[in-house]
Amino acid sequence: MKRQLEGIRVIDLTAYLAGPFVTLNLAAMGAEVIKIERPQIGDPCRWNPPFAGSEGVSFAMKNDEDLSILYLKRNRMKRSMFLNLQKDKGKEILKSLIEKSDVLIENFSPGVMERLGFDYPNVKNMNPKIIYCSISGYGQDGPFRDRTAFDLTIQATSGIMGITGFPGEPPVRCGAWIGDMIPALYATVGILAALLSREKTGIGERIDISMQDACFSMTTDEALDVNISKGMTTRMGNRLARLAPWNAYEAKDGFIIICVANNAQWNMFLEAMGREDLKEDPRFKDQQGRYKNSDDVEEIVNSWLKNLTKEEALERLREKKVVCDDIPEFRDVLESPQLRARDMIQEVIHPLSGKTGLKVAGFPIKMTELEAGFSKSAPFPGQHTEEILTQLLG
């Protein structure tokens, strides 16, 4: 079955997470992704434990076939080619690939591609229609341009950590690797938009993705300084600055989420609790009053829940259409019947030894007319070098 980006060739010069996550998404939609790796070394994440191979899963490499689970997950559907860009022959081969490709994506530190001779002006001369995407910690210009970055530093400097955590407590990193993955999704959007634009204009594009920019754009839905100007704490745990109840609440056997966004939902929530007497309470008549008196709201919810199991509370809330749900441990999420029904929990496949028994996420974009998703394993590093040199480049 055909895929959306069939016929699009991508040169992937990226490593670690942000860049490979972009090309993973492009590959899932049918792009031919050629992952360029340093000879015998490859993507540095290849060496990060745990590893999988013919002798199972281990935190130490048992043989030369073992590959990092990170590598297997991030490079599904791609082809791998060893190429030494420090050598003239390697540069000559990369130039030949550029001439035959649609997209080049890199996440070196700013200045590296220029020193290699493959900055955008040079690459544009090789292929005027190329879509050239760079991902870096702080972008290709500005006073922080030369700073190195990882997910944790980006979550910090973008403001995400500053608004994550509980009042009076230290800043907290979001558990998901959003410092890498948010920029990767913006880069994917940018590449798709540039490909569409090229169809109309015949002109390529230069895309500059700053990880800090991308994450800063996601920090808050309100005006950026409203909490500060109103003297409100920026770290509120699971609560929200304008709604109540909106939190994680403890029942007898674990935690649930309850979200009430308007007056109609509040009244239904009171009915679920059997507290219709509070419908006329002036403290809770509107959204502003409920937030102003949110500590009282929290006390009411906690008093109701303390004698109920999660399932008992959720059943009553769902009967009244109150937005709520369980908070499962991650091991339970991996058994979710909903995620399984939508093919979101898949097995990691090793390119040489096959099934590993390990679980990773499937492709979340579901389409009807054309196929999208992961039907092939990651390559073994350098696996397609000869094939690309002979069949593609002659």
Side-chain angles (χ1 to χ4, degrees):
M1 189 173 183
K2 289 189 174 182
R3 296 181 181 236
Q4 298 77 11
L5 297 180
E6 193 169 301
I8 297 297
R9 181 174 294 121
V10 179
I11 302 172
D12 182 358
L13 294 173
T14 69
Y16 297 108
L17 177 52
F21 191 59
V22 178
T23 52
L24 178 69
N25 284 302
L26 297 176
M29 292 184 283
E32 176 194 356
V33 175
I34 299 175
K35 182 175 179 65
I36 305 297
E37 305 195 55
R38 289 180 293 172
Q40 311 312 317
I41 297 175
D43 187 329
C45 83
R46 176 191 175 187
W47 308 101
N48 288 354
F51 303 96
S54 58
E55 298 183 46
V57 177
S58 171
F59 276 82
M61 293 187 72
K62 296 180 178 180
N63 56 56
D64 291 340
E65 292 184 4
D66 276 2
L67 288 173
S68 169
I69 295 168
L70 297 179
Y71 185 94
L72 293 172
K73 175 181 182 288
R74 297 171 185 175
N75 294 297
R76 287 169 286 175
M77 304 288 290
K78 303 176 189 179
R79 302 164 79 194
S80 171
M81 178 183 188
F82 280 148
L83 201 58
N84 189 343
L85 298 181
Q86 302 298 327
K87 302 291 186 180
D88 289 342
K89 187 62 177 178
K91 293 178 181 180
E92 180 185 329
I93 292 170
L94 179 58
K95 181 177 182 295
S96 297
L97 279 172
I98 288 170
E99 292 169 349
K100 294 178 177 290
S101 298
D102 301 279
V103 178
L104 182 149
I105 177 168
E106 58 91 11
N107 65 346
F108 294 115
S109 298
V112 170
M113 290 293 281
E114 183 177 4
R115 291 193 294 273
L116 290 172
F118 291 99
D119 54 336
Y120 178 60
N122 282 337
V123 170
K124 185 178 180 181
N125 285 334
M126 300 171 196
N127 181 350
K129 293 187 176 183
I130 198 80
I131 309 300
Y132 186 111
C133 179
S134 296
I135 303 176
S136 61
Y138 299 95
Q140 300 299 308
D141 54 20
F144 296 174
R145 172 184 185 267
D146 296 322
R147 290 187 183 181
T148 54
F150 280 120
D151 169 87
L152 187 59
T153 58
I154 293 302
Q155 289 204 34
T157 59
S158 66
I160 288 176
M161 286 180 65
I163 61 171
T164 306
F166 288 86
E169 298 293 328
V172 176
R173 172 189 175 272
C174 172
W177 292 82
I178 59 174
D180 283 295
M181 297 176 109
I182 289 174
L185 293 177
Y186 271 118
T188 304
V189 170
I191 289 169
L192 294 176
L195 287 169
L196 180 60
S197 175
R198 192 182 68 175
E199 288 293 309
K200 301 175 182 178
T201 66
I203 300 172
E205 185 59 89
R206 170 73 161 106
I207 301 170
D208 171 12
I209 299 292
S210 155
M211 296 166 68
Q212 184 192 37
D213 289 355
C215 291
F216 174 69
S217 75
M218 295 281 190
T219 51
T220 176
D221 190 38
E222 295 87 2
L224 299 176
D225 57 353
V226 66
N227 285 10
I228 298 169
S229 65
K230 296 296 184 183
M232 300 163 68
T233 179
T234 54
R235 290 195 287 280
M236 304 193 67
N238 298 312
R239 294 170 73 168
L240 191 61
R242 61 182 184 275
L243 298 174
W246 190 286
N247 204 348
Y249 299 95
E250 187 172 10
K252 286 171 62 176
D253 58 345
F255 289 85
I256 66 172
I257 290 289
I258 300 174
C259 302
V260 173
N262 55 47
N263 290 342
Q265 291 178 10
W266 170 251
N267 287 331
M268 298 300 283
F269 175 60
L270 293 178
E271 292 175 14
M273 291 195 301
R275 291 300 308 271
E276 290 90 337
D277 57 297
L278 294 174
K279 285 186 177 181
E280 301 304 318
D281 192 313
R283 295 174 296 168
F284 311 132
K285 289 289 287 184
D286 55 31
Q287 181 175 311
Q288 292 78 11
R290 289 191 293 277
Y291 180 71
K292 183 178 179 181
N293 296 282
S294 59
D295 288 342
D296 293 338
V297 172
E298 296 290 297
E299 186 176 339
I300 290 166
V301 178
N302 288 323
S303 177
W304 174 64
L305 277 174
K306 66 182 180 182
N307 296 317
L308 297 174
T309 65
K310 293 190 295 182
E311 196 54 44
E312 289 170 341
L314 291 172
E315 182 178 354
R316 297 184 192 186
L317 292 167
R318 287 170 178 156
E319 183 180 345
K320 294 296 182 178
K321 306 298 184 185
V322 176
V323 179
C324 62
D325 226 315
D326 183 21
I327 308 177
E329 293 295 331
F330 196 72
R331 61 178 175 269
D332 300 318
V333 175
L334 292 176
E335 303 301 326
S336 166
Q338 179 67 19
L339 291 173
R340 288 181 175 276
R342 292 181 59 79
D343 198 27
M344 280 304 299
I345 298 175
Q346 300 180 354
E347 184 175 4
V348 176
I349 305 298
H350 189 284
L352 302 182
S353 57
K355 294 182 177 181
T356 65
L358 301 167
K359 298 170 183 175
V360 290
F363 192 56
I365 302 175
K366 311 300 182 185
M367 303 193 194
T368 300
E369 303 300 332
L370 297 177
E371 183 180 3
F374 306 118
S375 58
K376 296 180 182 177
S377 71
F380 197 81
Q383 177 180 338
H384 302 97
T385 303
E386 183 177 346
E387 178 183 306
I388 293 167
L389 288 173
T390 56
Q391 297 181 18
L392 177 59
L393 301 181

